[in-house]
Amino acid sequence: MDEFDFLVLGGGSAGCVVAGRLSEDPDVTVALLEAGGAGDSWVVRTPFAGALMVPTSLNNWAFETIPQKGLNGRRGYQPRGKGLGGSSSINAMVYIRGIAEDYDHWAQQGARGWSWEDVLPYFIKSECNEDFAGPLHGANGPLHVALSRTDNPFHQIFIEAARQADLPLREDFNGEAQEGCGVYQVTQKNGERWSAARAYLHPHMGRRANLLVECGARARRILFEGRRAVGVEYEQGGAVRVLRARREVIVSAGALQSPHILMLSGVGPAEEARRLGLEVVHDLPGVGLNLQDHPDFVFGFTSRSKDLVGISLGGGARLLQEIHRYRRIRRGMVASNFAEAGGFLKTGPELFAPDIQLHFVVALVEDHARKLRLGHGYSCHFCLLRPRSRGSLRLRDGDPTSAPLIDPNFLGDDRDVEDMVAGFKLTRRLLDAPAFAAVRGRDLHTAGIRSDDEIRTILRQRVDTVYHPVGTCRMGEDALAVVDSRLRVRGLEGLRVADASVMPTLIGGNTNAPTIMIGEKAADMIRADAREISVADYGASQSAMRSYTSTRSSRSK
């Protein structure tokens, strides 16, 4: 077929959910286009191997930012998943929802229907939690969530250090409160990565006659008739093809590529489209604005412990043992998501919620693992959860294969720098706790750095992303909002965006679980709107039939 009821562009965390849920109805047809592969290889399924894709171009778009003024002109790295499952197929699998105030803030900004009370049912609907129960958790959803299966002794070292530093502890970061340190839950089942594709798409591919999934299919532009989206032009195997949509086109390509596709299709700032020789379909100046990401700093320490991932003869022998153990019981080092522990902390008692997040990594991390070091060690990230800096995304040119111009504007607001200075000090307090003394070697990056000025300097030298871009197709009601509260692109028909790009602001934590929630809620809204249209069409047809019958009866008389 070349015509479907719904076309979904992008098979990432939200796109898999939307296509999977919509195709539950056998009376509608759904096609999903994904530029990458099927996301079902052993490399993706194995947590240890999957996380190692981040520093490579394997299943990864591996974008870069433009030079960042706040980072001394450095270009940042922007890995994004390429393949079914999107970034859920290469990320660290940390399952975090954020706090109620994050979503209530969305609703206050004009995203009506997206308060915590509105979104919590979709988190619960998606979740199959193996460890925590109660009214805040789901047990029957397709997305498996579990505690780490690595059995790494550094979990207890990290928790003891937090206790010694007088920091609160937390077992469940998605429970009644978030603040504290502990071991993260991950999107895994039986020690294997459970991506959005494994949860929502793979079980139905080849089994649902109404679902088509095309991999290696890169969207070039959305097609319009007047102001209505009617299809998509895409490239696959060197050929340009077209699929048509009877009802809607849903763009789910992510915070960096959804606005890219819209702008290539003539939906965005009209002046920029004309400058690049593109036809203007709809002047929507907010497309690509409001880019937000969590700025992140990484401490690194050497260690002789072979419980840490590293490069050495002893480490190699240990890894072989761990591979054998994983194959037998799906536990141990190979089940690692690397960022195994962490926490949410306040840098000041006056704050309403934690403003920094920690990711404790059981390996040395240098430049997103793109620079390798011999030996073993551990790292600790801290990121700023609610930065004030806002960036943007723009077209490089009119070529659909060109990467966009990505500008997160990291540390563009000096207040973010000062907040990160406080975060640096708090994180170092934890890392200086006695529990780490027996395992700590050399401080690779921050030895001797004490004054605020020295901290500001190293922040600008080393801060980069922690992989959470959002906001470039923002929900809202003002002139720069791209979609309304039902995720419909403003001023157009038959076109929605459903992914992290619609978030008005960052949530306080990792963004994958909220993106899956957006996909769940989007699918429900799409189905509800389709029912309303069907009822309206039925009412109109019945009215027309009554009018026709009455006219015919009068003529007969």
Side-chain angles (χ1 to χ4, degrees):
M1 294 189 299
D2 61 3
E3 187 173 67
F4 295 80
D5 292 310
F6 299 102
L7 299 182
V8 182
L9 310 186
S13 293
C16 287
V17 179
V18 172
R21 289 300 193 191
L22 291 180
S23 62
E24 290 174 344
D25 181 352
D27 293 329
V28 303
T29 55
V30 181
L32 181 147
L33 302 182
E34 167 55 44
D40 59 355
S41 70
W42 70 268
V43 177
V44 174
R45 295 194 304 271
T46 308
F48 191 94
L52 292 178
M53 290 189 284
V54 168
T56 74
S57 58
L58 180 63
N59 294 340
N60 181 4
W61 290 97
F63 294 129
E64 284 194 336
T65 72
I66 66 171
Q68 295 293 284
K69 182 179 179 181
L71 306 182
N72 300 333
R74 288 187 290 120
R75 291 180 181 270
Y77 185 47
Q78 294 277 303
R80 293 283 89 197
K82 184 179 183 182
L84 293 180
S87 293
S88 73
S89 294
I90 68 170
N91 68 359
M93 296 164 275
V94 177
Y95 182 82
I96 297 291
R97 298 172 177 174
I99 61 174
E101 289 84 350
D102 293 329
Y103 302 96
D104 292 341
H105 184 51
W106 287 7
Q108 292 162 9
Q109 293 181 85
R112 290 174 288 107
W114 291 84
S115 70
W116 177 244
E117 183 180 352
D118 297 314
V119 303
L120 178 59
Y122 292 100
F123 280 116
I124 294 172
K125 180 181 181 180
S126 70
E127 182 185 25
C128 183
N129 199 301
E130 299 178 10
D131 302 293
F132 300 123
L136 295 178
H137 287 292
N140 301 303
L143 183 68
H144 285 266
V145 179
L147 284 169
S148 169
R149 294 168 63 95
T150 67
D151 309 314
N152 195 310
F154 270 80
H155 295 175
Q156 293 307 312
I157 293 173
F158 179 82
I159 290 171
E160 181 58 26
R163 185 180 290 112
Q164 293 168 347
D166 293 324
L167 299 173
L169 302 181
R170 181 69 51 195
E171 284 191 49
D172 181 6
F173 292 111
N174 301 295
E176 292 290 347
Q178 185 190 59
E179 185 179 9
C181 294
V183 178
Y184 283 131
Q185 282 201 299
V186 288
T187 49
Q188 291 185 8
K189 180 182 180 182
N190 192 31
E192 294 188 0
R193 177 188 295 272
W194 207 255
S195 70
R198 292 192 78 179
Y200 289 91
L201 211 57
H202 289 160
H204 314 303
M205 291 168 59
R207 294 178 176 86
R208 289 180 179 169
N210 64 332
L211 173 64
L212 173 71
V213 178
E214 290 283 359
C215 295
R218 183 170 187 161
R220 293 170 55 87
R221 64 188 178 104
I222 300 160
L223 304 176
F224 292 88
E225 290 179 0
R227 304 186 77 77
R228 182 172 188 83
V230 296
V232 62
E233 176 186 282
Y234 68 101
E235 184 175 351
Q236 185 182 47
V240 176
R241 309 171 191 272
V242 169
L243 287 180
R244 292 184 63 84
R246 283 186 288 266
R247 297 189 182 183
E248 291 191 23
V249 175
I250 301 106
V251 184
S252 297
L256 302 184
Q257 287 158 290
S258 284
H260 192 226
I261 292 172
L262 290 180
M263 288 188 284
L264 287 168
S265 307
V267 179
E271 183 178 344
E272 181 175 356
R274 294 188 185 101
R275 179 177 60 83
L276 296 175
L278 298 172
E279 178 186 357
V280 176
V281 173
H282 181 45
D283 182 14
L284 201 57
V287 175
L289 298 182
N290 193 49
L291 175 59
Q292 300 162 57
D293 198 352
H294 291 137
D296 184 70
F297 181 87
V298 189
F299 292 85
F301 298 87
T302 63
S303 176
R304 293 185 178 182
S305 174
K306 300 303 184 293
D307 292 312
L308 300 165
V309 178
I311 302 173
S312 70
L313 288 177
R318 172 68 182 276
L319 181 58
L320 289 175
Q321 294 174 351
E322 291 294 322
I323 291 172
H324 180 65
R325 182 186 181 200
Y326 181 79
R327 292 178 66 181
R328 286 189 297 110
I329 60 174
R330 289 296 191 268
R331 298 192 74 90
M333 186 180 289
V334 179
S336 180
N337 68 319
F338 289 85
E340 296 184 15
F344 295 85
L345 301 173
K346 295 179 182 180
T347 59
E350 75 286 355
L351 297 174
F352 77 94
D355 60 328
I356 65 168
Q357 180 182 2
L358 309 185
H359 292 88
F360 182 79
V361 179
V362 293
L364 276 174
V365 176
E366 178 76 14
D367 190 21
H368 310 276
R370 294 187 296 179
K371 297 177 183 176
L372 299 179
R373 287 180 176 269
L374 294 176
H376 297 257
Y378 57 90
S379 308
C380 190
H381 297 242
F382 82 90
C383 69
L384 186 62
L385 290 176
R386 295 173 185 84
R388 296 176 176 87
S389 302
R390 297 290 183 269
S392 64
L393 182 137
R394 287 288 174 251
L395 294 178
R396 186 179 303 273
D397 51 43
D399 183 350
T401 65
S402 295
L405 298 173
I406 304 166
D407 180 14
N409 190 28
F410 285 130
L411 305 188
D413 190 312
D414 288 338
R415 292 172 294 180
D416 291 348
V417 180
E418 298 313 305
D419 290 342
M420 291 202 75
V421 169
F424 183 102
K425 293 176 180 178
L426 182 56
T427 307
R428 181 144 70 180
R429 187 175 111 200
L430 169 68
L431 297 172
D432 285 345
F436 281 113
V439 296
R440 182 172 52 237
R442 188 160 55 94
D443 182 342
L444 294 176
H445 311 305
T446 58
I449 292 177
R450 296 295 168 188
S451 72
D452 286 3
D453 280 344
E454 289 170 333
I455 295 172
R456 293 184 190 103
T457 297
I458 198 167
L459 288 173
R460 294 197 185 277
Q461 289 173 350
R462 299 189 62 82
V463 160
D464 203 351
T465 181
V466 74
Y467 322 123
H468 300 156
V470 308
T472 48
C473 296
R474 176 173 63 87
M475 269 192 287
E477 299 174 339
D478 60 273
L480 291 179
V482 176
V483 299
D484 65 16
S485 295
R486 299 191 72 78
L487 307 185
R488 298 170 297 203
V489 176
R490 295 169 45 138
L492 296 173
E493 298 176 0
L495 182 63
R496 296 192 207 226
V497 180
D499 56 32
S501 70
V502 306
M503 296 184 188
T505 52
L506 275 162
I507 61 101
N510 309 74
T511 52
N512 190 56
T515 301
I516 289 173
M517 174 276 292
I518 289 170
E520 286 275 17
K521 188 168 169 59
D524 259 11
M525 291 190 297
I526 292 166
R527 285 186 292 214
D529 290 350
R531 284 194 296 269
E532 287 184 11
I533 291 171
S534 296
V535 169
D537 287 348
Y538 176 78
S541 65
Q542 291 297 100
S543 176
M545 180 59 72
R546 286 193 296 270
S547 175
Y548 169 77
T549 303
S550 174
T551 301
R552 187 179 180 189
S553 175
S554 298
R555 287 176 179 171
S556 298
K557 292 177 181 178

